């Protein structure tokens, strides 16, 4: 039969070159990966046989068999799984790059361990850690038996198999071992690796073991014809004076298949009898993770509905946790110990996509389809219970401060997404939120702790959103709140904007943004009277500034939230905050039409105690049409945009204004400059005082 040659896809070639030419001490992972792939193939045929039992006719027994051939230096791994057609061999083993290929190479170059290979879906290529040449013989029910072969030189061949005995169904991988990797042909080493990595695989893993049996026969018996048998002469050393008869000992070699994974599935056992080491081993075999889990919840639900589950929280977030096209492969669904699927979207909500584990139901039908699953009420009850148990597990983690800090660093986005999406569990999830605040120093605070620290007169929970902690810590919006001793939470994660939009209150106290209009601070009668007097006194200045700024602001008013800065820009109570506007502008695929009605109208709030505002008021009172007032107002507006978290649209005009300020400060008189900026009123020399005061704004 003719042999066809194919080229590896470029990224796969790179990956194989990396695997072959780089030194890794942890090469044993190849066996874990190949056994895991064999198990997946068996899962697939078992699943197909639920609806069509005749699929198993070609090979009734489901097993994985490892056969070491020391003489020829070949390690064979055989499974009776679904097998691969010729097209599968071409596509899956070389010409179509998996999405994880590039990600895995990037992870390796940044110092990750080779043992992570399975997480990226390219575990097959780990065979080249120990083999110089690999043959894959495969037989699918719908096709002939084919041989895939490659020594990793950038290409592979596929030939119709006319030389090997028929597999019936399934795949046999033959690894032609490198000279320095012959340890993996040793029985003891193979057993060690299987116990370590593949103990909980749901199918029997058999190892072809050579056993010697001894037969003792007397010398006068017929000569043994077995040419392989070794004959040794031993003497019966009786010390008495008995006759010494010569005996023959025949050592017969037989090959037996020894099952290596007799341990029953962990989830069927009593949680009290299982050690943490066993959970860790099970977690690693389930997820291909090399690190231990952070927490585990093992439980059984009984009554109208029966199922068992083991849920794990990993010790760190996966690299592609929020990848939109990622196949969800975190909770494996079994029905009465039979694997059904590992990407059932209705089993756990998206915000819990980092949870790993298995669910084994007693009630779901074995031949359930995806469409039936979506409609299935049992599944909805399972989902509700899984979420409930996850929340219990998070509450247990929260009892250990250090452990919870690690958990929150890795999965805080998921918790916040849960607050946004899961209205039923919002209150419980809000207990897990942690933020830095004006009083928390270097430790994050919970909403519960915030409430216990609130002064008696404080009625609401205050927060500020922004790009970073550094940006919001010295924000003018929190000046008065800090003076009053009111704590302000710093929400600096982009997802906080979405989270807080849904979490309207906590423990009966409203969450109030300090950057939006309508901030009502608790004040006594004297403070209220003083504020009303100031509002009346500054009415003319507010009107004049509104005229100058026109449509840029909706209104100009006296502020109750700033004590040092001259002014800030606040947004409407129901539109986007400045931070949300920044986040939405950064969306690559955003719908710009949404910005027009969600971007909030801005209000300029003035600080009547600031010397700049006082001097501006005096100028307006003296002469409404003072030509320096307009330029200073526009500059002040631009500065307010920056300190309030907005971006300046016309940066060239802003730069012009700043440059003119610098020239005034340096007493440079430039007639040409005046001519070129005739559209902006020039600042007169007598206004240097105001200009120098403007420099104090920041």
């Amino acid at each position: 039969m003719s042999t066809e040659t194919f080229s590896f896809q470029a990224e796969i070639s790179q990956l194989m070159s990396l695997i072959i030419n780089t030194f890794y001490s942890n090469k044993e992972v190849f066996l874990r990966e190949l056994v895991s792939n064999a198990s997946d193939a068996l899962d697939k045929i078992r699943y197909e046989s639920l609806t069509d039992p005749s699929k198993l006719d070609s090979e009734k027994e489901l097993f994985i068999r490892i056969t070491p051939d020391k003489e020829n230096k070949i390690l064979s791994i055989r499974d009776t799984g679904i097998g691969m057609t010729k097209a599968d061999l071409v596509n899956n083993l070389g010409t179509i790059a998996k999405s994880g290929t590039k990600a895995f190479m990037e992870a390796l170059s940044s110092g990750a361990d080779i043992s992570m290979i399975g997480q990226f879906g390219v575990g097959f290529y780990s065979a080249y850690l120990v083999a110089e040449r690999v043959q894959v013989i495969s037989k699918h029910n719908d096709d002939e038996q084919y041989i895939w072969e490659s020594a990793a030189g950038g290409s592979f061949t596929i030939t119709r198999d006319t030389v090997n005995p028929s597999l019936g169904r399934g795949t046999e991988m033959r690894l032609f071992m490198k000279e320095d990797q012959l340890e993996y042909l040793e029985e003891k080493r193979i057993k060690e690796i299987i116990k370590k990595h593949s103990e909980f695989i749901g199918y029997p893993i058999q190892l072809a073991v050579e056993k010697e049996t001894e037969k003792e026969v007397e010398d006068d018996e017929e000569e043994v014809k077995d040419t392989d048998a070794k004959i040794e002469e031993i003497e019966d050393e009786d010390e008495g004076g008995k006759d010494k008869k010569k005996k023959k000992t025949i050592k017969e070699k037989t090959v037996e298949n020894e099952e290596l994974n007799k341990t029953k599935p962990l989830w069927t056992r009593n949680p009290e009898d299982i050690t943490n080491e066993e959970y860790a081993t099970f977690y690693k075999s389930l997820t291909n993770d090399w690190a231990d889990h952070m927490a585990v919840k093992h439980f059984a639900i009984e009554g109208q509905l029966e199922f068992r589950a083991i849920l794990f929280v990993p010790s760190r977030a996966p690299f592609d946790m929020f990848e939109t096209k990622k196949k969800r492969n975190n909770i494996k669904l079994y029905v009465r110990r039979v694997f059904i699927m590992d990407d059932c979207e209705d089993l756990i909500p998206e915000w819990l996509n980092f949870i790993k584990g298995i669910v084994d139901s007693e009630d779901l039908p074995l031949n359930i389809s995806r469409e039936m699953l979506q409609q299935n009420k049992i599944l909805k009850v399972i989902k509700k219970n899984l979420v409930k148990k996850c929340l219990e597990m998070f509450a247990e983690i929260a009892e250990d401060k250090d452990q919870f800090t690690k958990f929150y660093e890795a999965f805080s986005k998921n918790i916040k997404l849960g607050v946004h999406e899961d209205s039923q569990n919002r209150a419980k999830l809000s207990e897990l939120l942690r933020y830095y605040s004006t009083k928390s120093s270097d430790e994050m605070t919970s909403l519960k702790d915030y409430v216990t620290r609130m002064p008696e007169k404080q009625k609401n929970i205050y927060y500020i959103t922004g790009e970073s902690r550094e940006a919001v810590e010295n924000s003018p919006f929190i000046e008065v709140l800090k003076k009053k001793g009111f704590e302000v939470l710093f929400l600096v994660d982009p997802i906080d904007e979405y989270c807080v939009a849904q979490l309207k209150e906590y423990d009966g106290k409203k969450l109030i943004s300090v950057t939006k209009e309508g901030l009502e601070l608790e004040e006594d009668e004297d403070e209220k009277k003083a504020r009303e007097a100031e509002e009346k006194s500054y009415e003319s200045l507010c009107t004049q500034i509104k005229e100058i700024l026109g449509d840029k602001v909706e209104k100009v008013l006296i502020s109750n939230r700033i004590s040092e800065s001259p002014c800030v820009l606040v947004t409407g109570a129901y539109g986007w905050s400045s931070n949300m506007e920044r986040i939405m502008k950064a969306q690559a695929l955003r719908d710009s039409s949404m910005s027009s009605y969600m971007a909030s109208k801005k209000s300029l709030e003035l600080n009547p105690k600031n010397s700049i505002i006082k001097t501006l008021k005096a100028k307006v009172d003296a002469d409404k049409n003072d030509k320096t007032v307009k330029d200073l107002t526009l500059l002040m507006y631009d500065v307010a945009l920056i300190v309030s978290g907005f971006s300046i649209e016309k940066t060239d005009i802003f730069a012009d204004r700043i440059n003119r300020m610098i020239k005034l400060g340096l007493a440079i008189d430039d007639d040409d400059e005046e001519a070129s900026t005739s559209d902006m009123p020039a600042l007169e020399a007598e206004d240097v005082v105001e200009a120098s005061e403007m420099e104090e704004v920041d």
Side-chain angles (χ1 to χ4, degrees):
M1 186 73 187
S2 62
T3 298
E4 291 178 72
T5 304
F6 300 85
S7 293
F8 281 114
Q9 197 270 346
E11 279 179 359
I12 293 174
S13 273
Q14 276 179 278
L15 174 67
M16 291 170 81
S17 171
L18 201 65
I19 288 171
I20 291 162
N21 299 318
T22 314
F23 175 75
Y24 296 109
S25 55
N26 189 18
K27 294 193 174 187
E28 66 181 44
V29 296
F30 86 92
L31 193 56
R32 177 191 73 188
E33 295 304 328
L34 300 182
V35 167
S36 176
N37 287 352
S39 171
D40 291 345
L42 288 160
D43 282 341
K44 284 174 186 168
I45 195 66
R46 191 175 190 176
Y47 182 58
E48 283 192 5
S49 72
L50 297 174
T51 47
D52 182 3
S54 67
K55 297 248 181 180
L56 289 179
D57 289 351
S58 46
E59 174 60 71
K60 293 282 187 194
E61 201 183 338
L62 299 178
F63 62 83
I64 299 165
R65 185 175 295 149
I66 302 167
T67 311
D69 178 353
K70 290 184 188 174
E71 206 172 305
N72 298 307
K73 298 172 187 169
I74 298 171
L75 182 66
S76 299
I77 298 152
R78 156 103 162 91
D79 67 69
T80 54
I82 195 161
M84 283 181 276
T85 60
K86 182 183 175 186
D88 289 339
L89 287 167
V90 174
N91 294 335
N92 296 351
L93 303 185
T95 59
I96 295 179
K98 298 274 198 306
S99 60
T101 313
K102 192 174 181 186
F104 178 57
M105 287 194 286
E106 284 169 2
L108 277 183
S109 59
S110 60
D113 192 79
I114 187 77
S115 63
M116 287 171 66
I117 191 163
Q119 291 182 58
F120 294 85
V122 285
F124 164 74
Y125 301 104
S126 64
Y128 288 94
L129 286 168
V130 296
E132 55 192 14
R133 182 160 61 96
V134 175
Q135 260 187 14
V136 180
I137 302 155
S138 197
K139 171 74 177 77
H140 189 283
N141 281 337
D142 302 338
D143 207 344
E144 303 290 336
Q145 186 163 308
Y146 283 92
I147 304 172
W148 178 102
E149 185 168 349
S150 176
S155 65
F156 61 92
T157 60
I158 290 185
T159 317
R160 174 123 169 249
D161 190 358
T162 53
V163 292
N164 296 301
S166 172
L167 295 174
R169 186 197 63 248
T171 302
E172 182 179 337
M173 278 190 71
R174 290 181 184 169
L175 276 56
F176 294 81
M177 307 298 276
K178 295 176 184 174
E179 285 296 331
D180 58 343
Q181 303 299 327
L182 300 179
E183 61 172 297
Y184 296 109
L185 295 171
E186 297 293 335
E187 181 187 316
K188 186 182 172 191
R189 187 79 174 99
I190 294 169
K191 284 181 176 177
E192 196 180 278
I193 297 168
I194 295 297
K195 180 161 177 59
K196 182 176 175 184
H197 294 296
S198 310
E199 194 179 6
F200 298 105
I201 294 288
Y203 302 95
I205 300 172
Q206 302 169 353
L207 177 62
V209 181
E210 266 193 2
K211 297 218 169 167
E212 287 186 344
T213 50
E214 291 190 356
K215 274 189 181 176
E216 221 176 58
V217 289
E218 286 186 12
D219 201 16
D220 56 356
E221 276 188 28
E222 283 179 39
E223 198 174 311
V224 179
K225 290 171 187 172
D226 189 350
T227 53
D228 286 345
K230 293 178 185 172
I231 301 174
E232 291 178 7
E233 290 191 355
I234 58 167
E235 293 193 0
D236 195 3
E237 295 176 0
D238 272 354
E239 284 179 12
K242 292 179 184 176
D243 294 341
K244 292 180 180 177
K245 274 191 178 180
K246 285 192 175 179
K247 300 239 178 176
K248 293 176 190 168
T249 303
I250 303 171
K251 290 184 179 175
E252 287 184 320
K253 282 188 180 177
T254 54
V255 176
E256 289 180 17
N257 292 320
E258 185 183 325
E259 197 172 319
L260 303 182
N261 58 334
K262 289 179 180 170
T263 316
K264 67 174 182 173
L266 196 71
W267 61 88
T268 59
R269 290 166 55 191
N270 186 339
E272 290 171 11
D273 302 335
I274 303 171
T275 64
N276 207 39
E277 286 71 28
E278 285 178 295
Y279 279 128
T281 309
F282 180 62
Y283 167 73
K284 287 173 184 173
S285 69
L286 182 77
T287 63
N288 290 329
D289 200 346
W290 75 94
D292 284 352
H293 58 281
M294 185 184 289
V296 61
K297 194 85 177 165
H298 183 180
F299 59 95
I301 301 290
E302 288 167 354
Q304 286 182 317
L305 178 77
E306 277 189 40
F307 74 90
R308 290 174 169 271
I310 302 182
L311 303 176
F312 293 96
V313 174
S315 53
R316 56 180 212 300
F319 78 101
D320 56 354
M321 185 155 63
F322 293 108
E323 192 71 50
T324 47
K325 291 181 183 174
K326 177 191 164 195
K327 176 187 158 210
R328 297 185 43 170
N329 185 13
N330 297 328
I331 306 285
K332 291 184 186 287
L333 177 64
Y334 288 76
V335 173
R336 296 187 285 285
R337 264 68 61 211
V338 176
F339 174 79
I340 300 296
M341 66 178 72
D342 58 7
D343 59 347
C344 177
E345 293 191 11
D346 299 301
L347 205 52
I348 202 152
E350 190 190 354
W351 64 273
L352 282 172
N353 66 358
F354 63 96
I355 296 290
K356 317 274 186 187
I358 73 101
V359 172
D360 189 357
S361 167
E362 297 291 329
D363 305 280
L364 286 167
L366 270 174
N367 59 348
I368 193 161
S369 68
R370 284 179 194 283
E371 291 71 29
M372 283 168 67
L373 266 175
Q374 286 168 355
Q375 308 300 322
N376 200 289
K377 287 179 182 174
I378 296 171
L379 207 67
K380 289 184 174 69
V381 180
I382 292 176
K383 181 178 179 177
K384 191 177 175 183
N385 276 286
L386 292 184
V387 173
K388 183 183 165 191
K389 292 294 180 182
C390 284
L391 290 170
E392 284 176 18
M393 182 159 49
F394 302 158
E396 286 163 16
I397 295 172
E399 289 170 14
D400 181 335
K401 197 175 175 184
D402 294 338
Q403 189 85 318
F404 188 75
T405 304
K406 286 180 196 166
F407 169 79
Y408 198 73
E409 268 175 30
F411 305 113
S412 60
K413 282 184 172 63
N414 297 76
I415 300 298
K416 290 166 185 176
L417 186 62
V419 171
H420 179 258
E421 291 183 350
D422 193 338
S423 53
Q424 278 185 308
N425 295 297
R426 196 167 286 149
K428 284 181 182 173
L429 283 166
S430 66
E431 297 286 351
L432 299 170
L433 294 173
R434 300 287 185 274
Y435 294 110
Y436 289 109
S437 77
T438 47
K439 291 185 179 178
S440 70
S441 65
D442 288 335
E443 281 191 10
M444 291 179 129
T445 184
S446 64
L447 294 175
K448 189 178 180 180
D449 290 344
Y450 177 102
V451 170
T452 59
R453 287 195 293 267
M454 278 170 61
E456 266 184 57
K457 61 179 179 177
Q458 185 182 341
K459 301 286 184 286
N460 302 312
I461 295 170
Y462 298 108
Y463 68 88
I464 181 169
T465 57
E467 194 170 355
S468 65
R469 186 179 168 191
E470 291 70 29
V472 295
E473 252 175 343
N474 300 308
S475 169
F477 288 106
I478 61 175
E479 288 171 0
V480 167
L481 288 151
K482 282 205 279 193
K483 279 192 172 179
K484 285 181 174 284
F486 294 174
E487 191 171 359
V488 182
L489 298 170
F490 302 147
L491 278 58
V492 292
D493 194 342
I495 201 170
D496 285 330
E497 286 280 1
Y498 299 90
C499 169
V500 84
Q502 299 298 329
L503 187 70
K504 301 278 193 296
E505 58 175 54
Y506 173 82
D507 195 19
K509 293 170 176 58
K510 285 184 182 176
L511 271 77
I512 303 288
S513 170
V514 300
T515 65
K516 292 190 173 183
E517 67 181 15
L519 179 70
E520 293 176 5
L521 296 174
E522 293 75 4
E523 54 188 6
D524 56 35
E525 203 58 41
D526 293 341
E527 286 172 330
K528 192 178 178 184
K529 279 181 184 173
R531 184 171 53 78
E532 284 169 359
E534 276 173 347
E535 281 174 4
K536 201 168 184 183
S537 163
Y538 278 82
E539 209 171 301
S540 58
L541 177 65
C542 291
T543 308
Q544 185 64 17
I545 289 176
K546 172 70 179 110
E547 273 179 34
I548 294 167
L549 295 176
D551 291 340
K552 289 181 178 179
V553 294
E554 192 180 22
K555 54 190 177 220
V556 180
L557 60 163
I558 294 303
S559 179
N560 63 339
R561 72 184 88 208
I562 48 177
S563 60
E564 290 158 26
S565 304
C567 57
V568 285
L569 279 165
V570 298
T571 52
Y574 300 105
W576 287 341
S577 66
S578 61
N579 188 51
M580 189 63 168
E581 207 171 294
R582 177 185 64 79
I583 291 165
M584 294 312 289
K585 278 182 182 175
Q587 304 298 315
L589 304 174
R590 72 191 171 100
D591 176 10
S592 52
S593 63
M594 191 178 177
S595 306
S596 55
Y597 60 86
M598 282 305 290
S600 187
K601 285 281 186 186
K602 304 175 188 74
S603 300
L604 185 70
E605 291 194 359
L606 307 175
N607 175 11
K609 296 178 179 65
N610 184 277
S611 53
I612 293 172
I613 302 299
K614 284 178 182 174
T615 313
L616 266 184
K617 179 181 180 296
K619 276 192 166 296
V620 170
D621 288 348
D623 178 9
K624 253 189 180 183
N625 302 313
D626 189 327
K627 59 182 187 175
T628 60
V629 170
K630 181 181 178 185
D631 206 36
L632 287 168
T633 298
L634 290 167
L635 181 60
M636 199 166 69
Y637 171 77
D638 284 342
V639 172
L641 275 174
I642 295 168
V643 298
S644 304
F646 295 97
S647 53
I648 295 174
E649 285 177 18
K650 296 183 179 177
T651 50
D652 54 334
I653 295 174
F654 175 66
D656 263 345
R657 289 198 182 102
I658 294 295
N659 289 335
R660 288 165 63 204
M661 282 287 161
I662 294 167
K663 287 187 175 185
L664 269 171
L666 297 170
I668 297 170
D669 185 22
D670 192 340
D671 295 333
D672 296 338
E673 182 80 356
E674 272 181 36
S676 67
T677 55
S678 55
D679 59 319
M680 282 184 265
L683 290 167
E684 294 174 357
E686 70 201 54
D687 296 319
V688 172
V689 179
E690 283 93 292
S692 60
E693 283 172 347
M694 281 296 292
E695 291 166 12
E696 294 166 18
V697 170
D698 282 1

